[in-house]
Amino acid sequence: MKNKEIVKSIVVLVVICLLTSAALAVVNHFTAPVSAANAEARAQQARLDAVPDAADFAPIEAALPDGVVSAYAALDAAGTPRPSYLFTVEGKGFGGTIQVLCVIGMDGRIRTCRTMDVSSETTTLGGQTANESYTGQYAGRDASLSGVSAISGATITSTAYRGCVETAFEAFELVKEAQQ
């Protein structure tokens, strides 16, 4: 008798799990396109915030280093390339993946660096890489990144951030060579 009750309970739980999974799959089917459109809109706004004088951005189709999530050339209203390239790069921080947007001018100097995602990092340490006091020190630097300091207590995340910027410079060099 007791075995029948156990089997019945197991069957009921399995059916509940299957129905819940099916319901989640249906919801995901309808919300995934909206989520993807929202993510693209946020990414476009981040690019516009990083290069406010650009009217649009053209994706760069080239073989890029590992870690480069996206690469764009800034365009003016006439569709003429502006002297800026935008690279979104991912790296491994202390708590997980970090994402950095790095804008490099044709002169090989950083126009701006923005922290796109450090949500997996601790707020009090690694999360400080999202602060202007940290990201601002990259502006105007060349590929040597001389004068850039790590955050005390968050050296793993700081090193990952710097690695993302270095990868952006590698991508910049590849794009520059491809256009010559």
Side-chain angles (χ1 to χ4, degrees), residues 114-116 118 125-135 151 161:
R114 302 271 170 103
T115 304
M116 301 302 289
V118 288
L125 293 174
Q128 291 181 24
T129 58
N131 295 341
E132 175 62 30
S133 59
Y134 180 74
T135 61
I151 296 172
Y161 197 100

Side-chain angles (χ1 to χ4, degrees), residues 1 11 38 60 68-69 102 106 113 129 138 143 159 162 176:
M1 211 44 128
V11 168
N38 287 340
I60 296 172
V68 177
V69 176
C102 189
M106 286 304 297
C113 277
T129 58
Y138 285 93
T159 301
R162 183 184 179 110
K176 203 167 79 171

